[in-house]
Amino acid sequence: MVLERRFGLAVGLIVVARVTSAVASVDACPTNDEVFLPNENAVVVPVSQQCPKFYSEIFSTTGCADESGGACTYCNNGTALNWAGACATVCPIKTSLVLTGGVTVPLWKTPATAHGLHIAFGDGADDVCHIDMTTDAATRTLHVKDATGTVYSAQAPAESVEYRVCMPTYSVVYNCGTGASGIAPDAQSIILTYPFSFSGVGGCARSGYSPTGWEMNGTNYAIDAKTFVWNTTAGATATLQWAANTYKASYICESGNSAAKTDSVTYDTSYTINYTGCTKVGHDFGGWSSDATYQNGDSFVWQTAGDKTFTGIWNVKQLTATYNCDGGTGTTPASANVTWDTDYTLAANTCAKDGYWYRGWTNSGTRYQPGDTYHWTPETNQTFTADWLAKYNAGVAGTAYTGDDGSNTWTATFPYATVSGTAMCSSDNGEFADFHQAAAPASGGKWCWCKMTIAETRLASDWVSLFGYSESGTEDENGNYTPGDENETANAALCAENCALHCGYTVANYDALRTTIFDSVSYRE
């Protein structure tokens, strides 16, 4: 006779029933005469119908020792109370069988009685464990109760009859989840009432995300979820769940420097470039270099699966040189573009101012001359302003003079300034090298010449000969000069005595010579 409650064939337990009498109860603590099927969906089939071979994780449980005192006591590890009331060695293949409703039935290595249920795990002959039973030779009845409480009674034959109990199987199909790519783990067969654990993530991958767990039948399981018993009478789809990774956005003001700032950024979220603390002498900030060029305030969705470094971009400053005639006339020199930390050549003067001599260009208290090199170290635009010196008044007589024949230099002191210059005696033909001579004599001779220079400038007069200007000359009240009667010999005597001293004396005392000299003053390149 075959006991069956069919819900479909599936891999499961092999049960060999050896029945010659009524079967005693098996429960967490045995209290009645009923044996539970492993699950209401279990199927009992003739042994000739083979269940597919399977293997299962071993449960480690201990059996209940006794209920007589109202509380269960337990045997030592590796043993459990058998039907004969002794602690017996549990089955080495599987220590217990989980029945419907969570009831656990101990399985023994060797049965305590000659009769009982003998359960084989897998198809191997050595994989047999035992559930103890008592013998009732009169009725030979096996009582089996399912999860709904229905009792199935079968009249056992006089001889042993073998049965096979098969549990339903289902499949868990894996899905890599939203936004992921790759190959999901293979579908996994699961056995009702048997332990289940998730496969690894297989070939699933999602840029910028890490797997956090599985969603299955509306429940989320951690990625490292422990084994649990499958009690659902259907298959399921396990969908991999993902969480966006967090990465670093580091700002480096200049290549080789340490990070000036680091932000944490979540993948697939908006990020705004936001660091303004970098500076570099002589340079303008040009943005940030990374996988692209960014400016502060730029926003983008972070879709780089890794950290990013933003390195400052620097552009050397481009500055402007401008000129100012400072009240003068003429055409102001054109402005010029200058690169920071380079040499700039100052422009020629194109300014003029009545009653003034041009002395150069001034900038921050320093006077420069046209053509001078200005090394541009300021980080700002610069203006070069014409420097003017009021022309000396030739009508005012000097108060003192000097002349040094050795150095050929002279001075003449006036209330407004002390002017200075050089002296030179010409050759017999009235010429000398490298000097401009105005009013040179028509014929040869030895002549004393005077030239005024203005210190720290390029202002200088023409060379003026003292011929016609001498101590014997006279000057009326209007400054008109009448030359004396010096001749070539007398002028030569000036050179023999001290030409420089005569220059200082004559410039200090004679308006006519002063006028000639002052009027010839100009900027000399």
Side-chain angles (χ1 to χ4, degrees), residues 203-270:
C204 295
R206 185 177 179 186
S207 180
Y209 287 76
S210 295
T212 58
W214 299 96
E215 185 280 325
M216 188 170 65
N217 292 331
T219 301
N220 290 318
Y221 298 87
I223 197 68
D224 57 349
K226 304 302 182 184
T227 300
F228 61 93
V229 174
W230 189 274
N231 284 320
T232 302
T233 58
T237 297
T239 302
L240 196 57
Q241 304 297 294
W242 301 90
N245 295 333
T246 298
Y247 299 104
K248 292 180 180 179
S250 299
Y251 294 87
I252 296 177
C253 291
E254 189 172 3
S255 180
N257 292 357
S258 299
K261 180 186 179 184
T262 300
D263 289 336
S264 292
V265 190
T266 301
Y267 191 87
D268 262 349
T269 62
S270 180

Side-chain angles (χ1 to χ4, degrees), residues 15-334:
V15 176
V16 180
R18 202 181 295 271
V19 182
T20 57
S21 63
V23 180
S25 65
V26 178
D27 204 339
C29 291
T31 58
N32 52 48
D33 294 334
E34 297 166 343
V35 174
F36 284 78
L37 279 175
N39 185 276
E40 65 179 22
N41 293 328
V43 178
V44 181
V45 298
V47 75
S48 60
Q49 295 185 17
Q50 293 294 318
C51 294
K53 184 173 181 178
F54 77 97
Y55 298 93
S56 177
E57 182 177 340
I58 302 301
F59 283 106
S60 295
T61 62
T62 55
C64 181
D66 187 11
E67 198 183 44
S68 59
C72 292
T73 58
Y74 295 89
C75 297
N76 293 329
N77 283 340
T79 65
L81 188 70
N82 63 17
W83 194 250
C87 287
T89 303
V90 296
C91 181
I93 305 301
K94 190 174 181 70
T95 63
S96 61
L97 182 65
V98 179
L99 305 182
T100 302
V103 175
T104 300
V105 179
L107 301 179
W108 318 111
K109 181 176 180 181
T110 303
T113 66
H115 309 285
L117 281 172
H118 310 292
I119 303 175
F121 292 88
D123 291 334
D126 297 330
D127 297 341
V128 178
C129 296
H130 310 274
I131 298 177
D132 285 340
M133 299 181 185
T134 58
T135 300
D136 185 346
T139 61
R140 301 196 310 278
T141 302
L142 172 65
H143 300 286
V144 180
K145 177 180 176 182
D146 69 10
T148 65
T150 302
V151 176
Y152 298 88
S153 297
Q155 188 72 29
E159 296 182 357
S160 298
V161 177
E162 294 182 336
Y163 297 97
R164 192 183 306 277
V165 179
C166 300
M167 297 298 292
T169 64
Y170 308 102
S171 291
V172 171
V173 177
Y174 289 93
N175 186 318
C176 286
T178 302
S181 60
I183 300 175
D186 292 338
Q188 186 175 352
S189 294
I190 52 176
I191 304 169
L192 193 64
T193 75
Y194 271 70
F196 169 78
S197 58
F198 290 100
S199 295
V201 300
C204 295
R206 185 177 179 186
S207 180
Y209 287 76
S210 295
T212 58
W214 299 96
E215 185 280 325
M216 188 170 65
N217 292 331
T219 301
N220 290 318
Y221 298 87
I223 197 68
D224 57 349
K226 304 302 182 184
T227 300
F228 61 93
V229 174
W230 189 274
N231 284 320
T232 302
T233 58
T237 297
T239 302
L240 196 57
Q241 304 297 294
W242 301 90
N245 295 333
T246 298
Y247 299 104
K248 292 180 180 179
S250 299
Y251 294 87
I252 296 177
C253 291
E254 189 172 3
S255 180
N257 292 357
S258 299
K261 180 186 179 184
T262 300
D263 289 336
S264 292
V265 190
T266 301
Y267 191 87
D268 262 349
T269 62
S270 180
Y271 180 69
T272 300
I273 302 295
N274 60 53
Y275 187 63
T276 59
C278 294
T279 59
K280 185 177 181 180
V281 175
H283 291 73
D284 293 320
F285 181 73
W288 299 100
S289 174
S290 186
D291 56 332
T293 299
Y294 301 91
Q295 301 297 327
N296 283 316
D298 285 353
S299 294
F300 60 92
V301 176
W302 190 286
Q303 290 186 325
T304 298
D307 299 335
K308 274 188 181 184
T309 297
F310 299 89
T311 303
I313 299 171
W314 298 101
N315 301 316
V316 64
K317 284 183 177 291
Q318 299 299 311
L319 304 162
T320 303
T322 57
Y323 292 86
N324 184 349
C325 286
D326 193 26
T329 59
T331 301
T332 303

